Amino acid sequence: MRIALDGMGGDNAPISNVKGAVDAINEYKNVEIIVTGDKETLENEFAKYNFDKSRLEIIHTTEVVRNEDKPVKAIRSKKDSSMVVALKLVKDGQADAIVSAGNTGALLAGGLFVVGRIKGIDRPCLCPTIPNINKGMTILADGGANADCKPRNLIEFAAMSNIYAKKVLDIENPRVALANVGAEEGKGNDLVKKSYEELKTLNLNFIGNVEARDVINDATDIIVCDGFTGNILLKSVEGVALSVMKLIKETLMSSTKSKIGALLIKDDMRKLKDFMDYSEYGGAPLLGVKGGVIKAHGSSDSKAIKNAIRQAIKFTEGNVVEDIKCFIDEYSKKEEEKANGDEE
């Protein structure tokens, strides 16, 4: 198995990417890693570590996709960037998946235009995860790739994320729900109402609607929504979590008495912080393209990169792409039969 790593992508590149790759090689014995980027810079970083160098390949590139670059323009104009070259490795079958902490929009555009959509999939979706109160993860499908959606898109998001949850996150029978303004059937806009009726007919553990306040309460394993709603939901949860942690810290540091109390609960607070740490969970997959595309957080440290590589390994081992192809073939046949029946 070969995983391509965008060596120059992310706020902490290439240092965090190199260390993450080394840790992955040392921990996961069935993987070879291809790192794209400035060869001299990367070789100097890798020289600091001990690992099996036979399982590493460095491909020299001369350009970098920056965060300020316009996504589609960057993919089309920066052909020799570390991101585009890594994407092409997946497209050409020289790598099974790509991990990148670089420009999110550019990676999504590259997944679509370079790697390519699975035949029959209307829109790929980005699936970040949100920690819940039972120390598990809730998948958000879609987290921001598609602002405007049709019911078919939400059906595809639900099915693809269901496959991913089973194969990568080891959830045996994922609970699938629609994000809505109320839990009752019949609530919501036209998109949600039509999607609800269709989801009831699929072979999924569909549990109905969930509200935004249920996101961290472990009410479901997968929340399905359009990318506009999903991105607002994701950013809101992240913002609240950061603000609450900041308020707790300020409160505990506000007086001598509270500082003494803080010392007593220091270990517990560290556990809480670790639980909310994105680096524990790797990255967000782009589902619906012809290979593994994993978007790591822009500020990923080496631990996050290593875990994103682990995610790419499980994605490949689980044959996620093949299972999505099987789903879309069956679903398209069902839709065709339904259309023919309506005509008659």
Side-chain angles (χ1 to χ4, degrees), residues 31-105:
V31 64
E32 296 178 17
I33 297 179
I34 309 169
V35 184
T36 56
D38 182 79
K39 191 167 187 178
E40 183 178 356
T41 300
L42 291 170
E43 285 179 339
N44 289 338
E45 281 298 318
F46 277 111
K48 299 175 183 178
Y49 303 101
N50 292 318
F51 62 99
D52 183 356
K53 294 179 176 58
S54 68
R55 291 164 55 202
L56 171 73
E57 180 182 354
I58 298 174
I59 294 180
H60 179 65
T61 62
T62 59
E63 297 175 296
V64 177
V65 174
R66 305 289 181 186
N67 284 334
E68 61 270 19
D69 289 341
K70 293 182 178 179
V72 176
K73 183 179 179 181
I75 293 299
R76 289 176 174 169
S77 63
K78 293 189 171 182
K79 302 289 188 184
D80 198 43
S81 64
S82 55
M83 181 184 289
V84 173
V85 171
L87 285 162
K88 285 180 179 176
L89 291 172
V90 178
K91 176 190 176 183
D92 296 338
Q94 297 177 51
D96 298 293
I98 172 180
V99 171
S100 175
N103 183 314
T104 300

Coordinates of all heavy atoms in Angstrom, one line a residue, residues 31-105:
V31 N 2.8 0.0 5.0 CA 2.7 1.2 4.2 C 4.0 1.7 3.7 O 5.0 1.6 4.4 CB 1.9 2.3 5.0 CG1 2.8 2.7 6.2 CG2 1.6 3.5 4.2
E32 N 4.0 2.2 2.5 CA 5.0 3.0 1.9 C 4.5 4.4 1.7 O 3.3 4.6 1.3 CB 5.5 2.4 0.6 CG 6.1 1.0 0.7 CD 6.5 0.4 -0.7 OE1 6.6 1.2 -1.6 OE2 6.7 -0.8 -0.8
I33 N 5.3 5.4 1.9 CA 4.9 6.8 1.8 C 5.7 7.5 0.8 O 6.9 7.5 0.8 CB 5.0 7.5 3.2 CG1 4.1 6.8 4.2 CG2 4.6 8.9 3.1 CD1 4.1 7.3 5.6
I34 N 4.9 8.2 -0.1 CA 5.5 9.0 -1.1 C 5.3 10.5 -0.7 O 4.1 10.9 -0.6 CB 4.9 8.8 -2.5 CG1 4.9 7.3 -2.8 CG2 5.7 9.6 -3.6 CD1 4.1 7.0 -4.1
V35 N 6.4 11.2 -0.4 CA 6.2 12.6 0.0 C 6.6 13.5 -1.2 O 7.7 13.4 -1.8 CB 7.1 12.9 1.2 CG1 6.9 14.3 1.7 CG2 6.8 11.9 2.3
T36 N 5.7 14.5 -1.5 CA 6.0 15.4 -2.6 C 6.4 16.8 -2.0 O 5.8 17.2 -1.0 CB 4.7 15.6 -3.5 OG1 3.6 16.0 -2.6 CG2 4.4 14.3 -4.1
G37 N 7.3 17.4 -2.6 CA 7.8 18.7 -2.2 C 9.2 19.0 -2.6 O 9.8 18.2 -3.3
D38 N 9.8 20.1 -2.0 CA 11.2 20.4 -2.3 C 12.1 19.3 -1.8 O 12.2 19.1 -0.5 CB 11.5 21.8 -1.7 CG 12.9 22.2 -2.0 OD1 13.2 22.7 -3.1 OD2 13.8 22.0 -1.2
K39 N 12.8 18.6 -2.6 CA 13.6 17.4 -2.2 C 14.6 17.7 -1.2 O 14.8 17.0 -0.2 CB 14.2 16.8 -3.5 CG 14.7 15.4 -3.2 CD 15.0 14.7 -4.5 CE 15.5 13.2 -4.2 NZ 15.7 12.4 -5.4
E40 N 15.4 18.8 -1.4 CA 16.5 19.1 -0.5 C 16.0 19.4 0.9 O 16.5 18.9 1.9 CB 17.3 20.3 -1.1 CG 18.5 20.7 -0.2 CD 19.3 21.8 -0.8 OE1 19.0 22.3 -1.9 OE2 20.3 22.2 -0.1
T41 N 14.9 20.2 0.9 CA 14.3 20.6 2.2 C 13.8 19.3 2.9 O 14.1 19.1 4.2 CB 13.1 21.6 2.0 OG1 13.6 22.7 1.4 CG2 12.5 21.9 3.4
L42 N 13.1 18.5 2.2 CA 12.6 17.3 2.8 C 13.6 16.3 3.3 O 13.6 15.7 4.3 CB 11.6 16.6 1.8 CG 10.3 17.3 1.5 CD1 9.6 16.7 0.3 CD2 9.4 17.3 2.8
E43 N 14.7 16.1 2.4 CA 15.8 15.2 2.8 C 16.5 15.7 4.1 O 16.9 14.9 4.9 CB 16.8 15.1 1.6 CG 16.2 14.2 0.5 CD 17.2 14.1 -0.7 OE1 18.1 15.0 -0.8 OE2 17.1 13.2 -1.4
N44 N 16.7 17.0 4.2 CA 17.3 17.5 5.4 C 16.5 17.2 6.7 O 17.0 16.9 7.7 CB 17.5 19.0 5.3 CG 18.6 19.4 4.3 OD1 19.5 18.5 4.0 ND2 18.6 20.6 3.7
E45 N 15.1 17.3 6.5 CA 14.3 17.0 7.7 C 14.3 15.5 8.0 O 14.3 15.1 9.2 CB 12.8 17.5 7.4 CG 12.6 19.0 7.5 CD 12.8 19.4 9.0 OE1 12.4 18.7 9.9 OE2 13.4 20.5 9.2
F46 N 14.1 14.7 7.0 CA 14.1 13.2 7.2 C 15.4 12.7 7.8 O 15.4 11.7 8.5 CB 13.8 12.5 5.9 CG 12.3 12.4 5.6 CD1 11.8 13.1 4.5 CD2 11.5 11.6 6.4 CE1 10.4 13.1 4.2 CE2 10.1 11.6 6.1 CZ 9.6 12.3 5.0
A47 N 16.5 13.4 7.5 CA 17.8 13.0 8.0 C 17.9 13.1 9.5 O 18.8 12.4 10.1 CB 18.9 13.9 7.4
K48 N 17.0 13.7 10.1 CA 17.0 13.9 11.6 C 16.5 12.6 12.3 O 16.6 12.5 13.5 CB 16.2 15.1 12.0 CG 16.6 16.4 11.5 CD 15.7 17.5 11.8 CE 16.1 18.9 11.2 NZ 15.1 19.9 11.5
Y49 N 15.9 11.7 11.6 CA 15.2 10.6 12.2 C 15.7 9.2 11.7 O 16.2 9.1 10.6 CB 13.7 10.7 11.9 CG 13.0 12.0 12.3 CD1 12.8 13.0 11.3 CD2 12.7 12.2 13.6 CE1 12.2 14.2 11.7 CE2 12.1 13.4 14.0 CZ 11.9 14.4 13.0 OH 11.3 15.6 13.4
N50 N 15.4 8.2 12.6 CA 15.7 6.8 12.3 C 14.5 6.1 11.9 O 13.5 6.1 12.6 CB 16.4 6.1 13.5 CG 17.7 6.7 13.8 OD1 18.5 6.9 12.9 ND2 18.0 6.9 15.1
F51 N 14.5 5.5 10.7 CA 13.3 4.8 10.2 C 13.7 4.0 9.0 O 14.9 4.1 8.5 CB 12.2 5.7 9.8 CG 12.5 6.7 8.7 CD1 12.1 6.5 7.4 CD2 13.2 7.9 8.9 CE1 12.4 7.3 6.4 CE2 13.6 8.7 7.9 CZ 13.1 8.5 6.6
D52 N 12.9 3.1 8.5 CA 13.1 2.3 7.3 C 13.0 3.1 6.1 O 11.9 3.3 5.5 CB 12.2 1.1 7.3 CG 12.5 0.2 6.1 OD1 13.4 0.4 5.3 OD2 11.8 -0.9 6.0
K53 N 14.1 3.6 5.6 CA 14.1 4.5 4.4 C 13.7 3.9 3.1 O 13.4 4.6 2.1 CB 15.5 5.2 4.3 CG 15.9 6.1 5.5 CD 17.2 6.7 5.3 CE 17.5 7.7 6.5 NZ 17.4 7.1 7.8
S54 N 13.7 2.5 3.1 CA 13.3 1.8 1.9 C 11.8 2.0 1.7 O 11.3 1.7 0.6 CB 13.6 0.3 2.0 OG 12.9 -0.3 3.0
R55 N 11.1 2.4 2.7 CA 9.6 2.6 2.6 C 9.2 4.1 2.4 O 8.0 4.4 2.5 CB 8.9 2.0 3.8 CG 9.0 0.5 3.9 CD 8.7 0.0 5.3 NE 7.4 0.4 5.7 CZ 7.1 0.5 7.0 NH1 7.9 0.1 8.0 NH2 5.9 0.9 7.4
L56 N 10.2 4.9 2.0 CA 10.0 6.3 1.8 C 10.5 6.7 0.4 O 11.5 6.2 0.0 CB 10.7 7.2 2.8 CG 10.7 8.7 2.5 CD1 9.3 9.3 2.8 CD2 11.7 9.4 3.4
E57 N 9.7 7.4 -0.4 CA 10.1 8.0 -1.6 C 9.8 9.5 -1.6 O 8.7 9.9 -1.2 CB 9.4 7.3 -2.8 CG 9.8 7.9 -4.2 CD 9.0 7.3 -5.3 OE1 8.3 6.3 -5.1 OE2 9.2 7.8 -6.5
I58 N 10.7 10.3 -2.1 CA 10.5 11.7 -2.1 C 10.5 12.1 -3.6 O 11.4 11.8 -4.4 CB 11.7 12.5 -1.4 CG1 11.7 12.2 0.1 CG2 11.5 14.0 -1.6 CD1 12.8 12.8 0.8
I59 N 9.4 12.8 -4.0 CA 9.3 13.3 -5.4 C 9.4 14.8 -5.3 O 8.7 15.5 -4.7 CB 7.9 12.9 -6.0 CG1 7.9 11.4 -6.2 CG2 7.7 13.6 -7.4 CD1 6.6 10.9 -6.8
H60 N 10.4 15.3 -6.1 CA 10.7 16.8 -6.1 C 9.6 17.6 -6.8 O 9.2 17.2 -7.9 CB 12.1 17.0 -6.7 CG 12.4 18.5 -6.7 ND1 12.7 19.2 -5.6 CD2 12.6 19.3 -7.8 CE1 13.0 20.5 -5.9 NE2 12.9 20.6 -7.3
T61 N 9.2 18.6 -6.2 CA 8.3 19.6 -6.8 C 8.8 21.0 -6.6 O 9.5 21.2 -5.7 CB 6.8 19.4 -6.3 OG1 6.8 19.8 -4.9 CG2 6.3 18.0 -6.5
T62 N 8.3 21.9 -7.5 CA 8.9 23.2 -7.4 C 7.9 24.3 -6.9 O 8.3 25.5 -6.8 CB 9.4 23.6 -8.8 OG1 8.3 23.6 -9.7 CG2 10.5 22.7 -9.3
E63 N 6.6 23.9 -6.8 CA 5.6 24.9 -6.4 C 4.8 24.4 -5.2 O 4.8 23.2 -4.8 CB 4.6 25.1 -7.6 CG 5.3 25.6 -8.8 CD 4.3 25.7 -10.0 OE1 3.8 24.6 -10.4 OE2 4.0 26.8 -10.4
V64 N 4.2 25.4 -4.5 CA 3.3 25.1 -3.3 C 2.0 25.8 -3.5 O 2.0 27.0 -3.9 CB 4.0 25.6 -2.0 CG1 3.1 25.4 -0.8 CG2 5.4 24.9 -1.8
V65 N 0.9 25.1 -3.2 CA -0.4 25.7 -3.2 C -0.6 26.4 -1.9 O -0.5 25.8 -0.8 CB -1.5 24.7 -3.4 CG1 -2.9 25.4 -3.2 CG2 -1.4 24.1 -4.8
R66 N -0.7 27.7 -1.9 CA -0.8 28.5 -0.6 C -2.3 28.7 -0.2 O -3.2 28.5 -1.0 CB -0.2 29.9 -0.9 CG 1.2 29.9 -1.4 CD 2.2 29.5 -0.4 NE 3.6 29.5 -0.9 CZ 4.6 29.1 -0.2 NH1 4.4 28.6 1.0 NH2 5.8 29.2 -0.8
N67 N -2.5 29.0 1.1 CA -3.8 29.1 1.6 C -4.6 30.3 0.9 O -5.8 30.2 0.8 CB -3.8 29.4 3.1 CG -3.5 28.1 3.9 OD1 -3.8 27.0 3.4 ND2 -3.0 28.2 5.1
E68 N -3.9 31.3 0.5 CA -4.5 32.5 -0.2 C -4.8 32.2 -1.6 O -5.5 33.1 -2.3 CB -3.6 33.7 0.0 CG -2.3 33.6 -0.6 CD -1.2 33.1 0.3 OE1 -1.6 32.4 1.3 OE2 0.0 33.3 0.1
D69 N -4.3 31.1 -2.2 CA -4.5 30.9 -3.6 C -6.0 30.5 -3.9 O -6.7 29.9 -3.1 CB -3.7 29.7 -4.1 CG -2.2 30.0 -4.2 OD1 -1.9 31.2 -4.3 OD2 -1.4 29.1 -4.2
K70 N -6.5 30.9 -5.0 CA -7.9 30.5 -5.4 C -7.8 29.1 -5.8 O -7.0 28.7 -6.7 CB -8.4 31.4 -6.6 CG -8.6 32.9 -6.2 CD -9.1 33.7 -7.3 CE -9.3 35.2 -6.9 NZ -9.8 36.0 -8.0
P71 N -8.7 28.3 -5.2 CA -8.6 26.8 -5.4 C -8.5 26.3 -6.8 O -7.6 25.6 -7.1 CB -9.9 26.3 -4.7 CG -10.2 27.3 -3.7 CD -9.8 28.6 -4.3
V72 N -9.5 26.6 -7.6 CA -9.5 26.0 -9.0 C -8.3 26.5 -9.8 O -7.6 25.7 -10.5 CB -10.8 26.3 -9.7 CG1 -10.8 25.8 -11.2 CG2 -12.0 25.6 -9.0
K73 N -8.0 27.8 -9.7 CA -6.9 28.4 -10.4 C -5.6 27.7 -10.0 O -4.7 27.4 -10.8 CB -6.9 29.9 -10.2 CG -5.8 30.6 -11.0 CD -5.8 32.1 -10.7 CE -4.6 32.8 -11.5 NZ -4.6 34.2 -11.2
A74 N -5.4 27.5 -8.7 CA -4.2 26.9 -8.2 C -4.0 25.5 -8.7 O -2.9 25.1 -9.1 CB -4.2 26.8 -6.6
I75 N -5.1 24.7 -8.8 CA -5.0 23.3 -9.3 C -4.6 23.3 -10.8 O -3.8 22.5 -11.2 CB -6.3 22.6 -9.1 CG1 -6.5 22.3 -7.6 CG2 -6.3 21.2 -9.8 CD1 -5.5 21.5 -6.9
R76 N -5.2 24.3 -11.5 CA -4.9 24.3 -13.0 C -3.6 24.9 -13.3 O -3.0 24.6 -14.3 CB -6.1 25.1 -13.6 CG -7.4 24.3 -13.6 CD -8.5 25.1 -14.2 NE -9.7 24.3 -14.4 CZ -10.9 24.8 -14.6 NH1 -11.1 26.1 -14.8 NH2 -12.0 24.0 -14.7
S77 N -3.1 25.9 -12.5 CA -1.9 26.6 -12.9 C -0.6 26.1 -12.2 O 0.4 26.2 -12.8 CB -2.1 28.1 -12.6 OG -2.2 28.3 -11.2
K78 N -0.8 25.5 -11.0 CA 0.4 25.1 -10.3 C 0.5 23.5 -10.5 O 0.4 22.7 -9.5 CB 0.3 25.4 -8.8 CG 0.4 26.9 -8.6 CD 0.5 27.3 -7.1 CE 0.9 28.7 -6.9 NZ 1.0 29.1 -5.5
K79 N 0.8 23.1 -11.7 CA 0.9 21.7 -12.1 C 2.0 21.0 -11.3 O 1.9 19.8 -11.1 CB 1.1 21.6 -13.6 CG 0.1 22.2 -14.4 CD -1.2 21.5 -14.4 CE -2.2 22.0 -15.4 NZ -3.6 21.4 -15.3
D80 N 3.1 21.7 -11.0 CA 4.2 21.1 -10.3 C 4.2 21.4 -8.8 O 5.3 21.4 -8.1 CB 5.5 21.5 -10.9 CG 6.7 20.6 -10.6 OD1 6.5 19.4 -10.6 OD2 7.8 21.1 -10.2
S81 N 3.0 21.6 -8.2 CA 2.9 21.9 -6.8 C 2.9 20.5 -6.1 O 2.5 19.5 -6.6 CB 1.7 22.6 -6.4 OG 0.5 21.9 -6.8
S82 N 3.3 20.5 -4.8 CA 3.3 19.3 -4.0 C 1.9 18.7 -3.9 O 1.8 17.4 -4.0 CB 3.8 19.5 -2.6 OG 3.1 20.6 -2.0
M83 N 0.9 19.5 -3.9 CA -0.5 19.0 -3.8 C -0.9 18.3 -5.1 O -1.4 17.2 -5.1 CB -1.5 20.1 -3.4 CG -2.9 19.6 -3.3 SD -4.1 20.9 -3.0 CE -3.7 21.3 -1.3
V84 N -0.8 19.0 -6.2 CA -1.2 18.5 -7.5 C -0.5 17.2 -7.9 O -1.1 16.3 -8.4 CB -1.1 19.6 -8.6 CG1 -1.4 19.0 -10.0 CG2 -2.0 20.8 -8.3
V85 N 0.8 17.2 -7.7 CA 1.6 16.0 -8.0 C 1.2 14.8 -7.2 O 1.0 13.7 -7.7 CB 3.1 16.3 -7.8 CG1 3.9 15.0 -7.9 CG2 3.6 17.3 -8.8
A86 N 0.9 15.1 -5.9 CA 0.4 14.0 -5.0 C -1.0 13.5 -5.5 O -1.3 12.3 -5.5 CB 0.3 14.5 -3.6
L87 N -1.9 14.4 -5.9 CA -3.2 14.0 -6.5 C -3.0 13.2 -7.7 O -3.8 12.2 -7.9 CB -4.0 15.3 -6.8 CG -4.6 16.0 -5.5 CD1 -5.0 17.4 -5.9 CD2 -5.8 15.3 -5.0
K88 N -2.1 13.6 -8.6 CA -1.9 12.8 -9.8 C -1.4 11.4 -9.5 O -1.7 10.5 -10.3 CB -0.9 13.6 -10.7 CG -1.5 14.8 -11.4 CD -0.4 15.5 -12.3 CE -1.0 16.7 -13.0 NZ 0.0 17.5 -13.7
L89 N -0.6 11.2 -8.5 CA -0.2 9.9 -8.1 C -1.4 9.0 -7.8 O -1.4 7.8 -8.2 CB 0.7 10.0 -6.9 CG 2.1 10.6 -7.0 CD1 2.8 10.8 -5.7 CD2 3.0 9.8 -8.0
V90 N -2.4 9.5 -7.1 CA -3.6 8.8 -6.9 C -4.3 8.5 -8.2 O -4.8 7.4 -8.4 CB -4.5 9.5 -5.9 CG1 -5.8 8.7 -5.6 CG2 -3.8 9.7 -4.5
K91 N -4.5 9.5 -9.0 CA -5.2 9.4 -10.3 C -4.5 8.3 -11.1 O -5.2 7.5 -11.8 CB -5.2 10.7 -11.0 CG -5.8 10.6 -12.4 CD -5.6 11.8 -13.2 CE -6.1 11.7 -14.7 NZ -5.8 12.8 -15.5
D92 N -3.2 8.3 -11.2 CA -2.5 7.3 -12.0 C -2.3 5.9 -11.4 O -1.7 5.1 -12.0 CB -1.1 7.9 -12.4 CG -1.2 9.2 -13.2 OD1 -2.3 9.4 -13.9 OD2 -0.3 10.0 -13.2
G93 N -2.8 5.7 -10.2 CA -2.7 4.4 -9.5 C -1.4 4.2 -8.9 O -1.1 3.1 -8.5
Q94 N -0.5 5.2 -8.8 CA 0.8 5.0 -8.2 C 0.7 5.2 -6.7 O 1.7 4.8 -5.9 CB 1.8 6.0 -8.7 CG 2.1 5.9 -10.2 CD 3.0 6.9 -10.8 OE1 4.1 7.1 -10.2 NE2 2.6 7.6 -11.9
A95 N -0.4 5.7 -6.2 CA -0.7 5.8 -4.7 C -2.2 5.5 -4.5 O -3.0 5.7 -5.4 CB -0.3 7.2 -4.2
D96 N -2.4 4.9 -3.4 CA -3.8 4.5 -3.1 C -4.6 5.7 -2.5 O -5.9 5.7 -2.6 CB -3.8 3.4 -2.1 CG -3.1 2.1 -2.6 OD1 -3.7 1.5 -3.6 OD2 -2.1 1.8 -2.1
A97 N -3.9 6.6 -1.8 CA -4.6 7.7 -1.2 C -3.7 8.9 -1.0 O -2.5 8.7 -1.1 CB -5.2 7.3 0.2
I98 N -4.2 10.1 -0.8 CA -3.4 11.3 -0.6 C -3.9 11.9 0.8 O -5.0 11.9 1.1 CB -3.6 12.3 -1.7 CG1 -2.9 13.7 -1.3 CG2 -5.1 12.6 -2.0 CD1 -3.0 14.8 -2.3
V99 N -2.9 12.3 1.5 CA -3.1 13.1 2.8 C -2.5 14.5 2.5 O -1.4 14.6 2.1 CB -2.4 12.4 4.0 CG1 -2.5 13.4 5.2 CG2 -3.1 11.1 4.3
S100 N -3.3 15.5 2.8 CA -2.8 16.9 2.7 C -3.4 17.8 3.8 O -4.6 17.7 4.1 CB -3.2 17.5 1.3 OG -2.8 18.8 1.2
A101 N -2.6 18.6 4.4 CA -3.1 19.6 5.3 C -3.1 21.0 4.7 O -3.3 22.0 5.3 CB -2.1 19.7 6.5
G102 N -3.0 21.0 3.3 CA -3.0 22.3 2.6 C -4.3 22.9 2.4 O -5.3 22.5 3.0
N103 N -4.4 23.9 1.5 CA -5.6 24.6 1.1 C -6.8 23.7 0.9 O -6.8 22.9 0.0 CB -5.3 25.4 -0.2 CG -6.4 26.3 -0.6 OD1 -7.5 25.9 -0.7 ND2 -6.0 27.5 -1.0
T104 N -7.8 23.8 1.7 CA -9.0 22.9 1.7 C -9.7 23.0 0.3 O -10.0 22.0 -0.3 CB -10.0 23.2 2.8 OG1 -9.3 23.1 4.1 CG2 -11.1 22.3 2.8
G105 N -10.0 24.2 -0.1 CA -10.7 24.4 -1.4 C -9.9 23.8 -2.5 O -10.5 23.2 -3.4

